[in-house]
Amino acid sequence: MATKDPHREKIERLRETIRTHEHRYYVLDDPEISDFEFDKLLKELKTQEADHPDLITSDSPTQRVGGKPIEGFVAVQHATPMLSLENAYDESELQDLDQRVREFSTRHSPGYVCELKIDGLSLSLIYENGLLTRGVTRGDGTRGEDVTFNVKTIRSIPLRIKDDLVKKSTRLEVRGEVFFPLNSFNKLNEEREENGEARFSNPRNAAAGTLRTLDPKVVASRKLDIFVYQCFADGRIPFGMHSDTLTWLKRSGFKVNPNWRSCASIQEVIEYCREWESRRDQLSYEIDGVVVKVNSIQLQQDMGATSKFPRWAAAFKFQARQSTTQVKNILVQVGRTGALTPVAELEPVELAGSTISRATLHNEDEIRRLELKIGDFVLIEKGGDVIPKVVKVIENRRPNEARDFVMPDRCPVCSGEVFRPEGEAVRRCVNVRCPAKVKESLLHFSSRKAMKIEGLGDALVDQLVEKGLVKDPADLYGLKLEDLINLERMGKKSSENLLAQIQESKRNEFSRVIFGLGIRHVGERTAQILAQHFGSMERLRQTSKEMLESVFEVGPVVAESIFRFFVNLENFSVIEKLRQAGVNMTLKSVAKRSAELEGKQFVITGKLPGLSREEASALIEQHGGRVTTSVTKKTDFLLAGEDAGSKLDKARALGAPVIDENALRQMLDES
């Protein structure tokens, strides 16, 4: 009798526990434990798997996010075409559908299933022997793109399913609609606007763009979701009714939209459509209609399909959500990175079930494109944004007193300097002490990737700012016990713990301090490069824009942002306060082991047998080399491991030498 492996059993118990809590949180929206407790379970599983790497499986909760960006997407043929749906724009067209159905049906009153039409993109999930093996976009309906690595980051998609149907079938295909929850979509657009990037026009475009992002970590950070609606077992529908399919999918751990309904007649279908057209704004995701399907699978098969649409279904489309109103004024709001955003103050108007009094104008270029004046009558539309947008100006209703709007040349909150980088649409306040920026600056400064001050969350930061205890990140180092213990939810122990965290952060690496300052365009990697190149805050602060541009991987846009930050007197004052508080402002020297690779530029791709990508990068840099992410004419060597992708092809095309790990070690005499 085989002896059970206690490590395997412990790891599998942990996985089952985590899967249960993932399902309760991401599918049922009914968590039983806190985020902190869930993170502890996941951390324990990662530790156990690190100690026993031979026990790691593809369906483990730790395998949702890949450790490296993928090289590209492969086209995949769908086993069964993913057809579009014919649109119905009014109730009479639903009656036409019912007439077609009755011509095929031997029953007096055929039944239907109504589902909300999610404004997202269709996805096919392939399970083999119960394990998720592939995720494919709809594409043209016949062929889609393999986006498996990105699909695994969607936490509401099970990586493994258990059911009798799995035992009877070797291949299951589950289809659904990937979508962007509105709170995540709005947060993403705010971040993109503040970073000078183009906003996504709607949640569907954002979901599609995200799912085709080459870095799964970026996809994971955006928190996509899915509702599933179809299932095939070995190429056939295994149920007699579509309603049975939805019931099975939910029972098997998939996320099914809870608002679907069986309807006995077309009149019930019409009533369902009317109900949800009036209730659509109560949802936390975008819908643009109702999908109406014949419930009987046999009747679906009898009716068949055209080359484009199934004859047994239709998509009832809701009316556009637009209204006309007048722009009374244009105000300017300041975001967390100092972005100045014009907002139209409107004559209140009813739109999609709510009273609208403001609409975003995004930036001054958008105002110019619309040719908008204060006093104009405009058409507004409510889409994915919480704040509606102005679609167009109704020029023939422009009043004589309409006047031009001019963006302010000083910050409307702090009267600080405003700067608009060349080639960007957004003006920004560069004052680090601007009250509109302080809160987010503090949260960024204390984040794990920056100064790692645990316990400094949103609620506490709100209190610190509102009570005037902290006006910039440097003020954190002046906090005392008596400042904290009287704050809400801050007893003596928690206050002492926070102060200890703040003190401990003084010893952080210099690159973390640079990153924590929140200089626009300066991420972790750029902060590390700046720390290595300049060695101290003083040298970095006194560097000219031209010198910054000459630094490896620092281009003109980044150099301009860094230079602008350091010439600002308010920012200089904050840095001085950090220095006086004892925060580390210099690079802890790391001895260079040799200059064997001095001036050589490397790109790393694929899985190396004995080194992680981070270890390989560190090894190259310790011997004087540089590591970049893209193969160009300047690339001296491509370090390639298993599963090397398009970078290998590009290196060969450019004639760049391709080496493996052994060759690298021989170059460094470290074999």
Side-chain angles (χ1 to χ4, degrees):
M1 183 176 176
T3 304
K4 292 184 177 179
D5 183 347
H7 298 300
R8 184 185 299 275
E9 289 186 341
K10 181 177 181 179
I11 287 174
E12 192 50 46
R13 282 197 303 270
L14 260 176
R15 289 174 183 156
E16 281 301 318
T17 300
I18 291 170
R19 289 186 189 114
T20 297
H21 290 302
E22 280 187 323
H23 182 252
R24 294 201 68 87
Y25 186 92
Y26 294 103
V27 178
L28 302 181
D29 194 22
D30 183 27
E32 289 184 329
I33 62 175
S34 66
D35 291 348
F36 176 75
E37 291 170 305
F38 180 84
D39 290 342
K40 281 181 65 177
L41 289 172
L42 196 59
K43 184 177 181 181
E44 183 180 354
L45 178 58
K46 289 178 179 178
T47 300
Q48 291 290 332
E49 290 183 342
D51 292 340
H52 306 282
D54 56 310
L55 299 181
I56 297 175
T57 59
S58 62
D59 64 322
S60 173
T62 63
Q63 303 304 299
R64 283 195 177 273
V65 184
K68 62 180 181 179
I70 54 181
E71 303 289 346
F73 300 112
V74 177
V76 176
Q77 184 90 13
H78 292 299
T80 304
M82 297 183 72
L83 300 178
S84 300
L85 292 173
E86 189 170 14
N87 290 328
Y89 292 98
D90 58 46
E91 295 175 3
S92 66
E93 292 181 87
L94 290 178
Q95 299 282 4
D96 292 341
L97 168 66
D98 187 56
Q99 184 63 39
R100 289 201 307 271
V101 172
R102 289 175 181 277
E103 290 173 2
F104 280 88
S105 175
T106 58
R107 295 175 302 170
H108 178 67
S109 180
Y112 298 93
V113 170
C114 291
E115 302 167 60
L116 299 182
K117 187 175 181 297
I118 310 301
D119 196 12
L121 69 153
S122 298
L123 185 72
S124 168
L125 304 170
I126 307 300
Y127 290 83
E128 296 178 353
N129 299 314
L131 296 181
L132 177 65
T133 58
R134 179 169 281 177
V136 184
T137 63
R138 179 185 176 277
D140 62 5
T142 303
R143 293 169 64 84
E145 291 182 319
D146 186 334
V147 289
T148 307
F149 286 102
N150 290 343
V151 163
K152 284 187 173 184
T153 71
I154 302 175
R155 304 297 286 269
S156 50
I157 294 178
L159 301 180
R160 179 174 69 174
I161 52 176
K162 292 180 179 179
D163 189 271
D164 288 341
L165 187 60
V166 175
K167 297 175 184 176
K168 298 174 185 175
S169 311
T170 57
R171 186 181 189 274
L172 284 173
E173 180 184 3
V174 174
R175 292 180 176 178
E177 196 82 0
V178 174
F179 64 94
F180 227 129
L182 288 178
N183 58 350
S184 299
F185 171 72
N186 293 326
K187 181 179 179 182
L188 174 63
N189 258 351
E190 289 169 6
E191 291 173 351
R192 290 178 68 85
E193 188 168 45
E194 289 168 352
N195 289 330
E197 299 173 298
R199 293 170 60 95
F200 284 112
S201 59
N202 55 60
R204 188 192 183 284
N205 289 352
T210 297
L211 206 57
R212 297 196 72 259
T213 301
L214 292 176
D215 190 346
K217 290 183 178 179
V218 173
V219 182
S221 71
R222 293 185 179 178
K223 296 178 172 45
L224 295 176
D225 209 340
I226 189 172
F227 285 127
V228 300
Y229 54 79
Q230 186 58 285
C231 172
F232 296 92
D234 292 333
R236 65 179 185 84
I237 298 174
F239 303 101
M241 307 292 279
H242 180 63
S243 54
D244 294 336
T245 298
L246 297 176
T247 300
W248 179 85
L249 286 167
K250 180 179 179 181
R251 188 177 70 240
S252 299
F254 291 96
K255 191 167 186 176
V256 176
N257 192 293
N259 298 302
W260 70 272
R261 186 183 302 169
S262 293
C263 297
S265 67
I266 200 65
Q267 188 56 42
E268 287 186 29
V269 169
I270 290 171
E271 290 171 1
Y272 178 92
C273 294
R274 290 173 180 171
E275 174 189 347
W276 280 104
E277 184 158 21
S278 66
R279 292 179 59 190
R280 62 194 294 197
D281 290 296
Q282 299 173 14
L283 299 169
S284 60
Y285 48 87
E286 277 286 280
I287 62 172
D288 58 359
V290 170
V291 176
V292 182
K293 302 174 183 176
V294 167
N295 197 1
S296 167
I297 302 301
Q298 183 60 57
L299 184 52
Q300 290 182 11
Q301 293 170 350
D302 290 345
M303 294 186 68
T306 68
S307 60
K308 293 182 179 180
F309 311 116
R311 295 188 178 94
W312 44 266
F316 179 78
K317 302 284 284 186
F318 292 156
Q319 295 294 313
R321 297 182 294 179
Q322 295 182 335
S323 188
T324 302
T325 186
Q326 186 175 23
V327 177
K328 297 165 61 179
N329 199 1
I330 296 178
L331 310 175
V332 177
Q333 297 178 342
V334 182
R336 67 176 181 85
T337 61
L340 272 61
T341 303
V343 176
E345 188 177 46
L346 307 171
E347 187 67 39
V349 62
E350 288 294 318
L351 177 62
S354 56
T355 302
I356 305 301
S357 59
R358 290 191 174 191
T360 182
L361 296 170
H362 303 309
N363 53 61
E364 57 191 302
D365 287 353
E366 177 70 0
I367 294 175
R368 192 174 298 113
R369 184 190 70 79
L370 291 167
E371 298 183 354
L372 175 66
K373 296 177 181 290
I374 297 171
D376 273 337
F377 285 87
V378 293
L379 182 69
I380 63 171
E381 179 178 271
K382 191 172 183 181
D385 291 324
V386 173
I387 300 177
K389 63 180 179 180
V390 174
V391 177
K392 68 175 183 178
V393 172
I394 303 173
E395 294 185 16
N396 61 6
R397 294 188 63 184
R398 174 170 285 165
N400 294 330
E401 64 272 17
R403 64 187 190 279
D404 291 331
F405 168 77
V406 179
M407 283 290 287
D409 55 8
R410 307 293 293 184
C411 174
V413 176
C414 70
S415 299
E417 178 188 357
V418 169
F419 174 66
R420 178 177 175 175
E422 185 176 350
E424 293 189 11
V426 179
R427 298 189 186 210
R428 298 175 189 276
C429 171
V430 299
N431 176 14
V432 75
R433 283 182 172 169
C434 176
K437 299 168 60 177
V438 171
K439 178 186 173 184
E440 291 298 333
S441 297
L442 290 170
L443 291 172
H444 174 78
F445 183 82
S446 60
S447 65
R448 289 186 178 184
K449 294 181 179 180
M451 300 302 282
K452 200 177 180 182
I453 302 174
E454 301 287 348
L456 196 63
D458 291 85
L460 181 55
V461 166
D462 280 340
Q463 292 187 76
L464 293 173
V465 174
E466 287 169 7
K467 293 183 180 298
L469 295 171
V470 176
K471 296 183 177 64
D472 57 57
D475 284 342
L476 292 171
Y477 296 95
L479 289 173
K480 298 179 176 59
L481 184 62
E482 53 266 30
D483 295 327
L484 299 174
I485 57 176
N486 292 322
L487 298 179
E488 186 178 346
R489 296 184 182 180
M490 288 297 292
K492 183 178 180 182
K493 184 64 176 177
S494 56
S495 297
E496 289 174 343
N497 289 341
L498 177 60
L499 291 173
Q501 288 280 331
I502 293 172
Q503 288 301 309
E504 178 65 25
S505 73
K506 293 180 181 180
R507 295 193 286 271
N508 277 332
E509 300 166 7
F510 178 41
S511 62
R512 282 178 171 266
V513 181
I514 297 174
F515 178 61
L517 291 174
I519 306 170
R520 189 158 177 262
H521 298 309
V522 176
E524 289 179 87
R525 173 65 179 166
T526 304
Q528 291 167 359
I529 291 170
L530 294 172
Q532 288 283 346
H533 188 92
F534 295 102
S536 73
M537 188 69 77
E538 188 62 20
R539 283 193 61 201
L540 175 60
R541 188 184 67 80
Q542 295 180 353
T543 300
S544 67
K545 186 162 47 175
E546 290 71 28
M547 283 293 293
L548 286 165
E549 286 186 31
S550 69
V551 177
F552 176 64
E553 289 190 20
V554 176
V557 174
V558 180
E560 175 74 33
S561 178
I562 297 168
F563 180 76
R564 283 272 173 182
F565 182 89
F566 282 110
V567 298
N568 182 275
L569 294 179
E570 294 289 344
N571 297 338
F572 172 69
S573 173
V574 172
I575 292 169
E576 281 302 300
K577 284 169 62 179
L578 289 171
R579 187 196 310 279
Q580 291 169 15
V583 175
N584 175 42
M585 294 286 181
T586 59
L587 178 70
K588 297 173 184 176
S589 60
V590 178
K592 188 179 287 188
R593 293 161 66 176
S594 78
E596 291 290 332
L597 306 179
E598 194 71 47
K600 301 298 183 183
Q601 191 162 302
F602 288 74
V603 173
I604 305 173
T605 188
K607 184 178 180 180
L608 302 175
L611 294 170
S612 67
R613 189 168 296 198
E614 292 75 18
E615 290 169 338
S617 297
L619 185 62
I620 291 168
E621 290 171 353
Q622 286 169 9
H623 290 274
R626 293 174 173 173
V627 179
T628 61
T629 57
S630 302
V631 177
T632 67
K633 293 180 180 179
K634 295 181 179 180
T635 301
D636 294 296
F637 296 99
L638 178 73
L639 175 58
E642 293 181 14
D643 301 322
S646 59
K647 291 180 182 178
L648 180 60
D649 297 332
K650 189 169 183 180
R652 287 171 175 164
L654 293 174
V658 179
I659 62 173
D660 59 13
E661 184 181 323
N662 288 333
L664 175 65
R665 292 186 183 279
Q666 289 172 9
M667 292 169 69
L668 304 175
D669 196 24
E670 292 197 4
S671 56

